[in-house]
Amino acid sequence: MTNQSVIFFDIDGTLLTHEKELPASTKEAIFKLKELGHEVAIATGRAPFMFEDIREELDIRTFVSYNGQYVVLNGEVIYANPLNIPALERLTEKALLNRHPVVFMDHEDMKANVPEHAYIRESIETLKINHFPTHDPNYYKGRDLYQSLLFCPEGEEKQYEQEFAEFDFVRWHPVSVDILPKGGSKAIGIEKIVERLGFPKERQYAFGDGLNDLEMLSAIENSVAMGNAEDRVKKAAKHVTKSVEDNGILHGLQMVGLL
C-alpha cells in the first residue's frame, strides 16, 4: 500500500461546479486515480439518495454522507450516528412556533413537517437533484434520522444553538441550516473508513470548499481547499488549488503529486 493513497472529495463546489456540472477534467482525473490503484471516496453533507448518479458515473462505492453521520465502505454501512429524536421533537415544536420549517432525513428519503414553504423550495432547488421533500410531519417517529434541515434566515439559528446542545448547526444556504449530532463531522466519518483501510496519515488526502469541510481539511494531513472556498476554509487546508470551474480538481491532484 506504500504507493497508494485514499482521496476524499466533497461534492458541491468541489466535484461539481456551482451549476452542478461535473467538469470533464475532473471525471478523467478520478478515473486516472483509480487506474493508478488509489482509493477514491466521497465526503459530503448530502444524503446518500442525493448523489446516487454521481457515484454511478464515477464508479465510487465508498462514501461519507450527512457530514459524517452515515458512512459506507465498498457498499457496506460501517458507521451510523443518528440524531437525538426527543431533542429534535422539541426543536421542531419551537420551530413551528417561529414558522421555521424542518425537513427530516434518513438514509432513504426526506420529509417536511409542513406541506409547502418558499424557503424549502428555494434552497433544495439549488442542489438540482431529482428528490424533493414531501409532507410527513411524523417522519421522525420510529426511525433513525441522520440529519435534519432547519429553514430560517441567517442569524435566526442562534436561538436554537443556545437551547439545543445536542446538535451542531451548519449553514449551507442563506435560508437553510444543517442539524447534525453534536460533534459529528466529515472528519469522524473519514476516520471510520481509514481505520478499516489502514492508510497512514501521509497517504490521506481531502478536497473541499465549504464550512462543513473545516474539520475534514484540518484533520487530513494532505488537505486541499478549492479556489472558490471562503478564506476561512482555505486557511484550514494545507494547500489551495484553482476554482472548481477552472479545473481545480485536476490542478490540485497534480499539485500534490497524485497525478
Side-chain angles (χ1 to χ4, degrees):
M1 193 182 291
T2 54
N3 295 322
Q4 278 71 51
S5 298
V6 59
I7 308 102
F8 293 89
F9 294 97
D10 170 54
I11 293 180
D12 299 288
T14 300
L15 286 179
L16 299 184
T17 68
H18 293 92
E19 296 302 317
K20 306 307 177 189
E21 296 174 346
L22 179 69
S25 65
T26 296
K27 184 174 181 177
E28 292 168 9
I30 296 297
F31 278 100
K32 184 62 177 177
L33 287 174
K34 293 159 73 71
E35 286 175 19
L36 293 171
H38 298 301
E39 183 77 30
V40 178
I42 286 173
T44 180
R46 289 191 183 207
F49 56 82
M50 289 183 176
F51 61 103
E52 288 175 319
D53 55 339
I54 300 169
R55 299 201 304 274
E56 183 176 335
E57 184 172 0
L58 297 177
D59 190 26
I60 293 176
R61 301 182 69 243
T62 295
F63 61 87
V64 173
S65 62
Y66 281 136
N67 289 313
Q69 315 321 309
Y70 194 82
V71 180
V72 171
L73 174 61
N74 293 321
E76 175 193 355
V77 180
I78 62 167
Y79 177 72
N81 183 33
L83 292 165
N84 181 316
I85 295 300
L88 181 64
E89 187 172 17
R90 296 196 308 273
L91 183 150
T92 302
E93 290 171 356
K94 180 183 180 72
L96 276 172
L97 293 175
N98 291 332
R99 297 185 178 180
H100 292 156
V102 174
V103 164
F104 309 115
M105 311 174 78
D106 65 4
H107 63 293
E108 294 178 325
D109 206 352
M110 57 181 171
K111 301 289 184 179
N113 71 329
V114 295
E116 175 67 29
H117 197 283
Y119 285 174
I120 298 178
R121 185 162 298 281
E122 176 185 342
S123 56
I124 298 296
E125 283 183 348
T126 66
L127 297 174
K128 296 188 178 180
I129 57 176
N130 294 325
H131 292 79
F132 193 83
T134 52
H135 181 220
D136 184 352
N138 297 315
Y139 195 68
Y140 67 89
K141 295 181 179 179
R143 71 181 73 240
D144 286 337
L145 303 179
Y146 302 103
Q147 184 170 293
S148 286
L149 302 176
L150 173 68
F151 297 85
C152 63
E154 292 187 58
E156 293 189 21
E157 71 273 20
K158 299 298 182 184
Q159 58 185 303
Y160 301 97
E161 292 174 355
Q162 294 168 0
E163 186 172 341
F164 297 96
E166 299 89 347
F167 305 128
D168 284 332
F169 298 84
V170 181
R171 183 164 289 279
W172 66 276
H173 187 276
V175 297
S176 188
V177 176
D178 290 333
I179 303 173
L180 302 169
K182 188 70 175 180
S185 72
K186 291 183 182 182
I188 291 175
I190 287 173
E191 187 178 305
K192 303 300 180 182
I193 289 175
V194 296
E195 281 175 357
R196 296 283 192 103
L197 295 179
F199 286 94
K201 288 186 178 297
E202 62 269 20
R203 306 304 299 176
Q204 299 172 25
Y205 294 78
F207 286 70
D209 74 300
L211 295 178
N212 61 339
D213 294 318
L214 285 171
E215 294 87 353
M216 174 179 78
L217 296 177
S218 298
I220 297 297
E221 187 166 311
N222 302 297
S223 58
V224 183
M226 304 302 290
N228 44 276
E230 295 183 23
D231 287 342
R232 184 177 163 194
V233 179
K234 291 177 180 177
K235 290 176 182 176
K238 186 174 182 179
H239 306 279
V240 178
T241 183
K242 297 179 181 179
S243 73
V244 59
E245 282 89 359
D246 192 21
N247 302 315
I249 292 297
L250 175 60
H251 177 79
L253 290 169
Q254 293 171 335
M255 182 173 59
V256 298
L258 287 171
L259 291 180

